[in-house]
Amino acid sequence: MSDYTPKPEHKFTFGLWTVGNPGRDPFGAPVRSSKTPAELVYLLGEVCAYGVNFHDNDLIPIDATFTEAEAIKKDFRKALADTGLVVPMATTNLFYDPVFKDGAFTSNDPKVRAYAIQKTLKAIDLGVEFGAKVYVFWGGREGTETDSSKKATEAIKRNREAINFFCEYALDQGYDLKFALEAKPNEPRGDLYNPTTGHMLAFIESLDHPEMVGVNPEMAHEHMVGINFMHGVAQAWEAGKLFHIDLNDQYPGRYDQDLRFGSRDIKAAFYLVKFLEDVGYEGSRHFDAHAYRTEDFEGVKDFARGCMRTYLILKEKAAQFNADKEIQALLAEINEDDGSMSQYFGKYSAEKANTLKAQSFDRNAIASRGLRYERLDQLTAEILLGVR
Ligand code: GCO
Ligand code: MN
Ligand code: MN
């Protein structure tokens, strides 16, 4: 039996808002008491997490005085030192307070937009103070219920202007900080701008400092709309833009569930873990999820341990897949290449195009070959089911 104990090198992180989630939902009041940031750090230390991330107001309440803020920071800092936890990522809460009911950077009210930028500047300072190297932007309420209210192009421009402003600010301050943009299709707004990781990747290329900005794809957000998460992550990785990742789970077409990692679609979780491990992703494995509303704090620990344990089990399964002789033989057969077509690939030349146009293909013979993906998928399933 393998050891699935989380170690610092696994880079497992949780947000204060995840293990601190009190279980409130639109139909019911909190079921768990609220814990202080320091208490949550000790809880994460107990389950062997590597790091803790926060929104500005997870740490410092929006109305806290300077003295209150200093006291909270002192306790938090002590908890970090006691447990050895680090803060790899920070972010801004731009969705909870009523002032953000029509969005933050994209609000129609210039006072809201200016306040949102001010709040983010201060939150960036706070994150950097605790050592964050990645700063996440999730456009919580950057969207609409009615498109009569806002020009979509204007909203996108406002968002771009804000991110450009923060890039210059980070450079000006000499911060060692990268930005990671997180997409979500809907919730809490009816529709959100830049709804998928793919939209974000395109948006980033329109910024003044695209090199400072990447993405923070979230599994549940892409599953909400029924698309393949790993494909989006691969696209981000291939573009050099996978700066962070939010792991959890979600049934398509439902409300924002934030389920424990691997609790719904084990196969999707497997391909994701296999991808991250195969390419050598070195960033945080951040679990942006929370325990069922049925749980007390023992259940919260079960939830957190479960996320990490499932990741490590799937990591082991990925290694097993890679070492499986029958699977590898099938893959070799599938990817067979006698080199006769190599002359046609790669960079364009007029000669290449002309020779290719003259080449004859036996379409029917090519198409008649069975690809054995049924067998391959069954073998994958058997690895996951533990009978191989
Ligand atoms: C959500 C989002 C958030 C963000 C967080 C960090 O659906 O609520 O995933 O949890 O990840 O605000 O930016
Ligand atoms: Mn989410
Ligand atoms: Mn998230």
Side-chain angles (χ1 to χ4, degrees):
M1 190 65 172
S2 305
D3 177 17
Y4 302 119
T5 313
K7 309 238 162 44
E9 69 259 28
H10 298 134
K11 306 245 179 88
F12 290 137
T13 66
F14 290 83
L16 284 179
W17 70 95
T18 64
V19 283
N21 181 294
R24 185 191 298 108
D25 73 16
F27 299 92
V31 292
R32 292 183 285 269
S33 59
S34 61
K35 287 198 180 286
T36 66
E39 285 170 335
L40 292 169
V41 170
Y42 290 113
L43 184 151
L44 286 173
E46 199 183 319
V47 300
C48 303
Y50 161 72
V52 58
N53 305 316
F54 58 75
H55 299 87
D56 50 352
N57 303 137
D58 298 335
L59 188 61
I60 316 285
I62 195 163
D63 288 325
T65 63
F66 177 79
T67 324
E68 284 162 352
E70 288 304 305
I72 295 168
K73 285 201 241 176
K74 191 169 163 237
D75 291 349
F76 186 64
R77 208 171 273 120
K78 179 172 185 310
L80 292 173
D82 288 347
T83 55
L85 261 79
V86 294
V87 178
M89 177 273 258
T91 182
T92 329
N93 188 324
L94 295 171
F95 46 89
Y96 192 82
D97 194 89
V99 73
F100 299 124
K101 63 190 177 192
D102 187 33
F105 309 140
T106 66
S107 166
N108 276 333
D109 185 338
K111 286 204 179 72
V112 175
R113 297 204 298 276
Y115 173 61
I117 294 173
Q118 181 205 62
K119 190 172 192 290
T120 305
L121 292 172
K122 292 181 182 178
I124 290 176
D125 294 344
L126 182 69
V128 169
E129 184 181 337
F130 282 95
K133 296 274 188 291
V134 175
Y135 200 86
V136 165
F137 287 88
W138 171 59
R141 292 190 187 272
E142 311 291 17
T144 58
E145 284 73 38
T146 169
D147 283 328
S148 312
S149 66
K150 205 172 287 179
K151 261 182 142 174
T153 47
E154 200 51 43
I156 291 160
K157 279 182 194 150
R158 288 172 184 166
N159 206 0
R160 177 182 302 120
E161 207 177 278
I163 302 292
N164 283 339
F165 195 88
F166 299 126
C167 286
E168 294 293 350
Y169 179 70
L171 290 170
D172 207 18
Q173 298 292 313
Y175 289 160
D176 174 18
L177 197 62
K178 290 194 290 190
F179 295 141
L181 311 185
E182 177 177 345
K184 188 175 183 182
N186 55 269
E187 237 188 296
R189 299 306 292 274
D191 290 290
L192 296 169
Y193 297 115
N194 281 330
T196 67
T197 299
H199 288 79
M200 281 301 183
L201 287 169
F203 173 73
I204 289 169
E205 293 311 311
S206 74
L207 297 171
D208 289 347
H209 288 284
E211 74 287 354
M212 291 175 67
V213 187
V215 289
N216 177 35
E218 173 168 318
M219 191 156 204
H221 296 176
E222 314 270 320
H223 283 184
M224 280 170 89
V225 277
I227 56 181
N228 186 310
F229 182 58
M230 187 271 280
H231 290 186
V233 169
Q235 192 170 344
W237 172 264
E238 209 263 341
K241 293 291 180 197
L242 189 63
F243 288 6
H244 199 264
I245 194 163
D246 277 6
L247 302 176
N248 50 11
D249 215 345
Q250 168 80 33
Y251 285 80
R254 299 204 186 170
Y255 64 96
D256 184 8
Q257 294 176 301
D258 283 336
L259 297 170
R260 188 181 76 254
F261 180 61
S263 62
R264 200 276 301 187
D265 191 339
I266 280 283
K267 240 171 140 184
F270 167 72
Y271 287 123
L272 192 261
V273 171
K274 181 170 168 357
F275 178 84
L276 296 178
E277 297 302 323
D278 283 352
V279 298
Y281 167 75
E282 285 182 346
S284 294
R285 274 82 171 155
H286 176 243
F287 297 104
D288 189 9
H290 52 76
Y292 301 144
R293 195 165 177 270
T294 49
E295 305 306 291
D296 60 11
F297 276 101
E298 280 313 304
V300 171
K301 289 181 214 164
D302 290 338
F303 146 81
R305 288 193 179 104
C307 287
M308 298 184 283
R309 189 174 165 85
T310 297
Y311 188 100
L312 292 175
I313 295 169
L314 292 175
K315 181 176 168 178
E316 186 180 76
K317 299 281 181 194
Q320 192 189 339
F321 179 101
N322 290 341
D324 189 299
K325 292 212 164 53
E326 192 177 350
I327 289 178
Q328 292 312 314
L330 272 174
L331 286 172
E333 190 184 318
I334 288 161
N335 290 296
E336 213 168 66
D337 184 356
D338 66 5
S340 60
M341 294 293 121
S342 307
Q343 55 177 317
Y344 300 129
F345 301 129
K347 206 169 154 40
Y348 172 84
S349 76
E351 196 204 335
K352 211 183 253 186
N354 285 333
T355 346
L356 180 54
K357 279 162 88 178
Q359 166 83 40
S360 68
F361 289 98
D362 185 347
R363 234 174 52 244
N364 292 335
I366 297 169
S368 66
R369 178 181 161 219
L371 298 184
R372 314 217 49 208
Y373 292 176
E374 281 289 357
R375 179 77 189 139
L376 184 62
D377 189 68
Q378 180 64 23
L379 292 176
T380 309
E382 292 191 10
I383 285 185
L384 292 178
L385 292 170
V387 296
R388 230 181 132 69

